[in-house]
Amino acid sequence: MAWLHIVAPPSYGATPSVRSWCSCGRDLFAAGHTRALALIADHEQHRTTCPLLASTEGTAADERPEHARRTDRRRRAA
């Protein structure tokens, strides 16, 4: 799972900031217009290349491993 937290204050001259987290251990922070935009672009690129995300994002429920589907069936039966 990956998160992108953007703080863009509405007042003129305020400095925006961005934080990018990922379940692979990524934890980056940037402040300022140029650096914030660069980190946003980098975060989007990371989402396509991270081995943890590439194997799970966009996966339909029935495409999960068999053990995960079995666990769900047991929960519904209980």
Side-chain angles (χ1 to χ4, degrees):
M1 183 174 286
W3 300 271
L4 184 65
H5 183 245
I6 301 170
V7 177
S11 61
Y12 179 76
T15 304
S17 62
V18 178
R19 187 161 205 155
S20 172
W21 292 278
C22 181
S23 53
C24 71
R26 171 190 175 100
D27 187 359
L28 301 176
F29 176 83
H33 290 89
T34 304
R35 289 182 178 176
L37 291 172
L39 183 53
I40 292 168
D42 186 63
H43 177 83
E44 291 300 315
Q45 178 63 32
H46 178 76
R47 290 175 58 108
T48 62
T49 59
C50 177
L52 291 176
L53 297 177
S55 64
T56 59
E57 279 195 2
T59 303
D62 54 359
E63 294 176 353
R64 291 176 299 154
E66 177 60 28
H67 65 83
R69 292 192 304 262
R70 273 184 278 155
T71 302
D72 286 348
R73 283 192 294 259
R74 279 189 230 130
R75 286 183 186 144
R76 281 185 292 222

